[in-house]
Amino acid sequence: MTVQTTNAVRPRLRGDVYFTAMPDGAFVRSTRGSVFLKGASVHRLLTALAPALTGAATLTELLAAVPTPQRPSVRKLVGTLLERGFVRDTGSDLPHSLDDDAAERYAGPVQFIDSFTDSAARRFQDFRAARLVCVCGPDAARGFLSALTDCGATRLTLVLPDPDSMLTVHRFAATLPEVPAELAFVPAPSTTDGADATDWETLLRTADAVLHLADRPGAGSREAVARLCARLGRPLVQGLATADAVWIWPVRTPAAPDGDGDGDAPWRRLLATRTAAERRTLRAGPCSDGLHRGPVAELAAIQLTFRAYCHLTGVTTPELAAMARLDTTTLEVDHHPVLGPAPASSDAGPRKPGAEQDPARRVRLLRAADPVPDPLFLERLAVACDRHVGPIPDVRERDHPQSPLFVTEAKVADPGLRTEPRAVLGAAHTAHDARADALRRAAATALELARQAAPRPAPEPGWDLAAERARPVPAPGNGRYAHGVAAEADLDRSALACTLAALARLVPVQAAGDAAPVPPAELTAADRQCVELLTTADAHWSVHRVASPAAALPAFAFLLDGATVAVQVHPDAATALSAGLLDTLLAWQLARHRRESGDPDPTGGTTPEAVPSVQPRLAATDGADQLATTLEQLRAAGLCAVLQVLDDDPALAELVRFGVRVVIDDA
């Protein structure tokens, strides 16, 4: 559908638009996308019209030069190009005072802006007037000086570590054919606190943007400059050189401080995906081997310059909202989307406002939300699976045997930095289901770790699932206490999974009573397959009926070589048996692999409290009815179930949607 164009429109073809002839039409492409325009004469019209689409003439003036029979076709074509974003209306552009010489010399930078937004000349003019402060070493300073000069910057201050660096960069500037009109070289004060704090504030207070390439992660450099810019309200474009890469942050602005005081969410996301040893190396600084010097530093400076130029001219792209990683070995740059701010550590940071702690409102919103089935869940969670900055830094199958069950391992980053990334396993009879199982478990684990990392109100607000009212979350250590976490397709399934997992943790792991009968007629094909595989493998396994915390709910313990490997509780005995058999087969499969390979437990002993698998595997039909049955049995047993919405990591919670925690305790 084409837009209605007015005669006053001044159409301008964006500089990044290309088109080519195709059978029965033309193919048009730009950074905004592509489209096939059908029509035998479309390519001919585009070829003739493109030189006139400069924004200097109105549509009326353009049509006046076109033969009358072709005017409707030209009007329709211009309207289609406007609608698709290949052409824009320059009639509303802000005025500018660039002279012809500057407009010609900087036609490239202006055209770049014009490819993304309006008033390109005015935006470029404002960039030229901006005061830029670069804090860096001498090698990076050369990159900043060259790149910013090419961009047309006129006011530049280079803050360098010592007089020798200043002299080196001054000599380099003398070799350039042109430098900014206002160019200053300033020695960096030694610290950002104490006697030198005033000097730093003087340097940065009047900057329109601060560009900082740091080679030390410590508080004396990267963190301190970030805090100071946040306090002064100055936009900051910051990069950190490590031994193997230079990390470049998204621009931090006063309007979007990442919600964590110093705007350092990407740094915490980066740390959370590392081992303890790697964290110590990143924090210790300075970087080793000089890889952040020479061409690497100059390339990093160019990357920071590009981000500053886009920020000051209003250009936005998805890559600019991501962290850029410049590999110091290959000099390649890739981008890593940062999934919002990671939770602050438990000893710092603000607590949630009271309105956000209202459990009734939060539960009501979740109940009104659309379900998130596996295909959509996996698609949405893709952004969280990033090996450098993702809450789920790694998802893989190759380290595990894929027979008879398919197995997927997902690593989960701890934003509180108390542990190294931990492993959770998913298993199923198909590869797709195993991956979905692993990612749902990983998402729930990540949200629980975020809850542990975030500041906690006392008492924590919760929602009594049976009484349908607000109730403080019980504290551990009193009565029959257990908890479970889950991230299922809707609130009822998540609440059911959490409640059943918590109940399973209250079950004594030693088998009791007689072996539970498993009539073959009641087993599904998958159950029979598990039994046949375990029997054929001569595995020493058994399943026992055990005492349930809620007497009417079936509970089973599954043993392998005399040790309990799974506990399952479910309103439907067949579902509990099916889930436990699969967990038992998985335990046998992993144990066999460990014996054959000599590898340690792939989960690293991270199952909560070293209890065997208690994560329920819900049936496809589970939901509100099974939850109601479970809650009724809890009430009869003198227990209560209190739900918490896991949204301490808001960005991850938005993707997962139904991540919750349920605490069971005496009523």
Side-chain angles (χ1 to χ4, degrees):
M1 175 177 150
T2 58
V3 296
Q4 296 296 320
T5 56
T6 65
N7 292 333
V9 165
R10 292 181 176 272
R12 177 190 179 101
L13 189 68
R14 294 186 184 273
D16 62 340
V17 174
Y18 302 89
F19 55 90
T20 185
M22 298 286 288
D24 300 324
F27 183 75
V28 186
R29 182 174 183 175
S30 77
T31 55
R32 295 171 174 262
S34 58
V35 66
F36 172 71
L37 301 179
K38 189 174 182 180
S41 62
V42 167
H43 184 263
R44 178 174 54 81
L45 283 177
L46 274 174
T47 303
L49 188 61
L53 297 178
T54 63
T58 65
L59 181 58
T60 298
E61 293 167 343
L62 288 173
L63 292 176
V66 176
T68 302
Q70 295 180 346
R71 289 177 184 176
S73 298
V74 172
R75 179 184 290 274
K76 180 180 179 181
L77 178 59
V78 171
T80 300
L81 294 174
L82 280 166
E83 180 187 33
R84 298 284 185 169
F86 299 119
V87 165
R88 69 176 187 84
D89 178 16
T90 64
S92 59
D93 279 2
L94 297 174
H96 65 88
S97 58
L98 289 179
D99 56 34
D100 293 340
D101 180 63
E104 181 179 356
R105 177 183 300 183
Y106 299 107
V110 173
Q111 181 174 301
F112 173 78
I113 302 171
D114 188 63
S115 298
F116 293 91
T117 187
D118 57 11
S119 304
R122 173 62 175 271
R123 292 174 184 271
F124 178 73
Q125 174 186 308
D126 293 343
F127 168 77
R128 297 203 70 188
R131 180 172 181 266
L132 307 176
V133 176
C134 299
V135 184
C136 58
D139 295 326
R142 288 196 291 268
F144 280 127
L145 187 55
S146 298
L148 288 168
T149 299
D150 291 342
C151 288
T154 61
R155 306 173 67 193
L156 176 61
T157 299
L158 294 173
V159 182
L160 296 159
D162 51 58
D164 289 341
S165 299
M166 295 170 58
L167 180 60
T168 298
V169 180
H170 189 276
R171 289 172 175 169
F172 172 75
T175 66
L176 297 176
E178 183 181 11
V179 295
E182 299 180 26
L183 176 61
F185 301 89
V186 179
S190 57
T191 65
T192 55
D193 52 15
D196 294 316
T198 302
D199 295 334
W200 271 108
E201 291 193 16
T202 301
L203 282 171
L204 304 184
R205 184 178 298 279
T206 59
D208 293 295
V210 177
L211 293 81
H212 179 211
L213 183 60
D215 63 356
R216 294 174 182 267
S221 180
R222 182 195 59 80
E223 295 175 355
V225 171
R227 285 196 299 268
L228 183 58
C229 287
R231 181 162 61 82
L232 297 176
R234 300 296 91 193
L236 174 63
V237 191
Q238 192 171 53
L240 172 66
T242 66
D244 61 348
V246 178
W247 285 96
I248 299 170
W249 270 244
V251 178
R252 303 181 214 178
T253 65
D258 291 333
D260 64 348
D262 64 353
D264 229 6
W267 173 244
R268 284 204 304 275
R269 292 285 194 199
L270 186 65
L271 283 178
T273 62
R274 298 303 196 269
T275 65
E278 291 170 335
R279 290 172 188 163
R280 287 193 296 270
T281 300
L282 283 172
R283 284 169 160 167
C287 303
S288 61
D289 302 330
L291 293 175
H292 58 287
R293 303 186 183 280
V296 171
E298 293 184 27
L299 287 173
I302 292 172
Q303 289 287 324
L304 267 68
T305 297
F306 175 72
R307 294 194 170 215
Y309 181 78
C310 290
H311 170 71
L312 292 172
T313 57
V315 172
T316 58
T317 68
E319 289 78 12
L320 294 173
M323 289 189 76
R325 181 181 184 274
L326 170 62
D327 190 293
T328 56
T329 302
T330 65
L331 301 185
E332 294 180 348
V333 177
D334 53 11
H335 295 87
H336 301 268
V338 178
L339 188 60
S345 60
S346 57
D347 59 351
R351 292 184 175 180
K352 292 182 178 180
E356 296 183 13
Q357 294 185 21
D358 179 8
R361 176 178 177 274
R362 295 156 83 183
V363 169
R364 185 170 62 251
L365 290 174
L366 287 187
R367 282 180 173 160
D370 294 330
V372 185
D374 276 350
L376 178 59
F377 180 84
L378 298 180
E379 178 183 343
R380 295 173 67 176
L381 207 60
V383 68
C385 300
D386 184 280
R387 67 191 181 96
H388 290 294
V389 294
I392 304 175
D394 193 17
V395 182
R396 65 176 65 190
E397 288 81 20
R398 61 182 178 273
D399 291 343
H400 301 284
Q402 299 298 307
S403 176
L405 292 176
F406 290 93
V407 181
T408 297
E409 175 187 302
K411 291 289 182 65
V412 183
D414 179 1
L417 308 183
R418 301 174 306 279
T419 64
E420 297 181 2
R422 59 180 65 184
V424 297
L425 295 180
H429 293 282
T430 69
H432 176 274
D433 290 345
R435 196 171 185 86
D437 185 37
L439 284 175
R440 285 204 178 274
R441 295 182 185 224
T445 303
L447 288 170
E448 169 65 4
L449 290 173
R451 187 197 70 85
Q452 296 173 13
R456 311 307 309 162
E460 295 184 54
W463 184 256
D464 190 319
L465 286 168
E468 286 290 312
R469 61 179 176 83
R471 175 172 180 159
V473 176
N478 298 317
R480 292 173 290 178
Y481 175 95
H483 77 276
V485 296
E488 295 291 332
D490 57 49
L491 182 60
D492 288 335
R493 287 178 62 86
S494 288
L496 175 64
C498 290
T499 304
L500 296 176
L503 280 171
R505 289 194 173 95
L506 293 177
V507 172
V509 295
Q510 291 80 16
D514 298 329
V518 186
E522 296 183 11
L523 295 178
T524 66
D527 295 336
R528 289 195 295 272
Q529 181 182 1
C530 287
V531 172
E532 290 170 2
L533 288 168
L534 287 168
T535 303
T536 302
D538 198 23
H540 298 90
W541 71 280
S542 59
V543 55
H544 298 260
R545 191 181 299 274
V546 292
S548 174
L553 293 180
F556 302 94
F558 298 81
L559 278 67
L560 185 66
D561 294 329
T564 304
V565 294
V567 177
Q568 289 291 333
V569 178
H570 196 281
D572 177 60
T575 300
L577 287 169
S578 178
L581 285 170
L582 191 146
D583 284 336
T584 304
L585 180 57
L586 172 63
W588 170 82
Q589 181 172 319
L590 296 178
R592 182 194 63 181
H593 176 67
R594 289 196 298 273
R595 288 194 301 269
E596 294 174 351
S597 64
D599 292 339
D601 183 349
T603 62
T606 58
T607 304
E609 305 164 10
V611 174
S613 175
V614 295
Q615 183 71 23
R617 301 177 182 275
L618 301 183
T621 56
D622 282 345
D625 292 342
Q626 289 73 19
L627 177 61
T629 299
T630 302
L631 294 176
E632 182 60 34
Q633 296 305 319
L634 285 178
R635 192 202 307 265
L639 298 171
C640 69
V642 182
L643 179 142
Q644 294 174 272
V645 178
L646 295 178
D647 56 2
D648 298 278
D649 187 333
L652 181 58
E654 179 61 27
L655 295 177
V656 175
R657 185 63 63 85
F658 299 106
V660 299
R661 182 176 191 262
V662 169
V663 175
I664 288 181
D665 205 351
D666 291 319

